[in-house]
């Protein structure tokens, strides 16, 4: 997910955090410390409210982590490869391989919301159990009640039937089980996500116009859901178009390349100026691909440095691009793209670059599939 940074690992897979998570925690913590706690437990000092709000915010962050960890752990128990987990404001996203049955897809999807609901119920029960106590226990009890309601809300919200929310995945699994058509179920869940997202955004805007500033948060959430759902719908179309397509079937070749040992002056004159593409793969002395130069960025290199720098000094490392063998299924290669990797896909056979798969190549396949299938792409 764009806007996320790596922060560690959870259940053995990389963990990332979207920028919306600290924002959510700060907003919830601020509301807890400045509004909820003074109302529920009046008479305490500002330091007590601040410390309790910080503890509540951290507990909420831990709840979000457990929500996503449940998805990842369930997927791994079902023998699904998990690439990474990304926390975001309403739970998170777990990038994983595709479940091979509707039952597995349902189990993975529902595990996160159920975890939030269980945490919410436990925290709410503990808080209500302490509610009758006075003195030092009153503030922790209030924090637990707040944490319980927050988790119950997040769990219930995530069960809305709208991809990319977990409820959209549940809907997709149920439709897949009922119809036997996975792609149809994915498209339906994505369309539902677009519709629900726009309804939430409209409701939030209406609430804002009625004088409720918090309505803007709902507008943001609704638009985010709608945009991601639209992207997932396009992904479904691409995956359908690439069914059975190998990397060698989609690649462009032969590939215009350049030696990575040339200084930039010669590289610009002999390679970049003659290239019809904005990206030029580099080859080392042994003829193996070593990186990719973005021709559009060469103009930013000062003329005085162009004789000192080699092409490999300004190249994007090969690790930033996906590398596939000619016979690899293209859909699997694209599904395996990790954060930081992007198109084109470099097709390598016996350490020799034989072709590349660009975004234009994939778009061509999608258009052809749409024409043959009688449907408009996207």
């Amino acid at each position: 997910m764009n806007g996320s940074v790596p922060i560690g690992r959870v259940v053995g897979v990389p963990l990332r955090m979207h920028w919306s998570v600290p924002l959510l925690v700060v907003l919830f913590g601020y509301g807890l410390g400045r509004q909820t706690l003074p109302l529920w437990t009046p008479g305490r000092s500002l330091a007590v409210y601040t410390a309790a709000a910080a503890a509540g915010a951290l507990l909420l962050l831990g709840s979000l982590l457990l929500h996503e960890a449940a998805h990842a752990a369930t997927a791994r128990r079902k023998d699904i490869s998990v690439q990474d987990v990304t926390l975001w404001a309403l739970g998170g996203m777990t990038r994983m391989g595709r479940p091979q049955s509707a039952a597995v897809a349902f189990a993975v999807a529902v595990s996160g919301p159920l975890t939030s609901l269980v945490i919410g119920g436990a925290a709410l029960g503990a808080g209500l159990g302490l509610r009758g106590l006075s003195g030092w226990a009153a503030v922790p009890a209030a924090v637990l009640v707040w944490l319980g309601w927050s988790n119950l809300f997040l769990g219930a919200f995530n069960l809305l039937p709208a991809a990319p929310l977990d409820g959209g995945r549940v809907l997709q699994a149920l439709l897949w089980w009922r119809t036997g058509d996975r792609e149809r179920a994915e498209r339906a869940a994505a369309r539902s996500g677009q519709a629900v997202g726009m309804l939430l955004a409209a409701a939030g805007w209406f609430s804002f116009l009625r004088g409720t500033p918090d309505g803007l948060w709902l507008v943001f959430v609704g638009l985010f859901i709608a945009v991601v759902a639209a992207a997932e719908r396009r992904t479904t179309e691409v995956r359908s178009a690439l069914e059975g397509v190998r990397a060698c079937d989609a690649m462009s070749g032969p590939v215009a390349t350049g030696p990575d040992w040339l200084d930039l002056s010669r590289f610009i004159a002999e390679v970049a100026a003659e290239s019809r593409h904005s990206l030029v793969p580099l080859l080392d002395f042994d003829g193996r691909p070593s990186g990719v130069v973005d021709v559009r960025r060469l103009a930013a290199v000062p003329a005085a440095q162009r004789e000192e720098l080699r092409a490999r000094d300004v190249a994007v490392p090969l690790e930033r691009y996906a590398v596939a063998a000619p016979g690899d299924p293209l859909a699997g290669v694209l599904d395996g793209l990790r954060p930081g990797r992007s198109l084109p896909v470099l097709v390598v056979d016996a350490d020799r670059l034989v072709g590349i798969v660009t975004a234009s190549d994939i778009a061509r396949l999608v258009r052809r599939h749409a024409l043959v299938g009688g449907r408009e792409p996207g």
Side-chain angles (χ1 to χ4, degrees):
M1 180 187 289
N2 292 333
S4 63
V5 295
I7 60 172
R9 300 180 73 84
V10 61
V11 294
V13 299
L15 174 65
R16 304 175 66 86
M17 181 181 292
H18 189 254
W19 62 263
S20 61
V21 173
L23 177 61
L24 175 80
V25 171
V26 168
L27 289 176
F28 273 41
Y30 179 84
L32 175 63
R34 297 299 295 270
Q35 298 175 2
T36 305
L37 290 178
L39 179 64
W40 290 359
T41 58
R44 269 64 176 183
S45 67
L46 177 62
V48 170
Y49 291 144
T50 301
L58 291 176
L59 287 171
L60 179 61
L61 181 59
S63 300
L64 292 175
L65 178 58
L66 289 174
H67 175 114
E68 271 319 294
H71 285 306
T74 303
R76 297 188 72 181
R77 282 199 302 271
K78 301 294 184 180
D79 296 324
I80 301 174
S81 62
V82 180
Q83 294 167 281
D84 55 46
V85 169
T86 301
L87 298 179
W88 70 291
L90 298 176
M93 290 186 178
T94 301
R95 293 205 317 148
M96 65 184 76
R98 304 182 80 195
Q100 296 305 308
S101 71
V104 171
F106 179 87
V108 173
V110 80
S111 61
L114 286 182
T115 299
S116 292
L117 293 176
V118 169
I119 293 172
L124 185 60
L128 293 177
L130 293 173
R131 190 175 183 181
L133 301 178
S134 58
W136 65 269
V139 173
V143 171
L144 286 172
V145 170
W146 171 85
L147 180 67
W149 282 118
S150 298
N151 273 279
L152 291 175
F153 167 76
L154 289 173
F157 189 90
N158 269 278
L159 284 173
L160 287 175
L165 299 180
D166 296 325
R169 310 296 184 209
V170 171
L171 173 64
Q172 175 187 322
L174 292 175
L175 291 175
W176 180 13
W177 170 75
R178 182 176 180 83
T179 65
D181 189 334
R182 181 177 193 155
E183 293 178 2
R184 179 181 174 186
E186 290 176 345
R187 288 193 296 270
R191 285 194 296 267
S192 177
Q194 290 179 277
V196 171
M198 295 310 298
L199 287 174
L200 289 175
W205 184 246
F206 179 75
S207 176
F208 175 74
L209 294 179
R210 299 266 306 203
T212 306
D214 291 345
L216 286 179
W217 177 253
L218 191 57
V219 171
F220 162 76
V221 170
L223 291 177
F224 183 85
I225 290 173
V227 169
V228 175
E232 291 201 358
R233 187 176 175 185
R234 291 192 295 271
T235 299
T236 299
E237 296 290 347
V238 171
R239 186 179 287 117
S240 177
L242 299 183
E243 186 70 29
V245 176
R246 299 170 300 170
C248 61
D249 299 327
M251 71 182 187
S252 300
V255 185
T257 61
D260 66 359
W261 65 86
L262 287 182
D263 62 62
L264 281 188
S265 294
R266 288 186 60 192
F267 184 84
I268 291 173
E270 299 176 14
V271 181
E274 303 297 327
S275 175
R276 295 177 297 171
H277 304 287
S278 59
L279 298 176
V280 177
L282 298 180
L283 303 180
D284 63 17
F285 279 111
D286 296 321
R288 296 174 298 191
S290 61
V292 178
V293 167
D294 189 336
V295 174
R296 294 166 297 188
R297 297 183 180 179
L298 293 180
V301 179
Q305 298 181 14
R306 293 180 180 178
E307 293 186 2
E308 302 173 3
L309 294 173
R310 305 288 180 181
R312 57 175 170 263
D313 296 329
V314 297
V316 177
L318 194 64
E319 292 75 18
R320 292 283 300 275
Y321 294 94
V323 177
D328 288 347
L330 186 56
V333 174
L334 297 180
D335 284 342
L337 288 177
R338 299 195 300 269
R341 287 192 174 185
S342 59
L343 293 174
V345 174
L346 305 180
V347 184
V348 177
D349 186 17
D351 289 335
R352 293 296 181 265
L353 184 67
V354 295
I356 59 174
V357 181
T358 66
S360 298
D361 295 321
I362 294 173
R364 172 175 50 81
L365 290 172
V366 173
R367 288 193 299 269
R368 186 175 66 185
H369 178 78
L371 288 174
V372 173
R375 289 185 288 103
E376 288 295 326

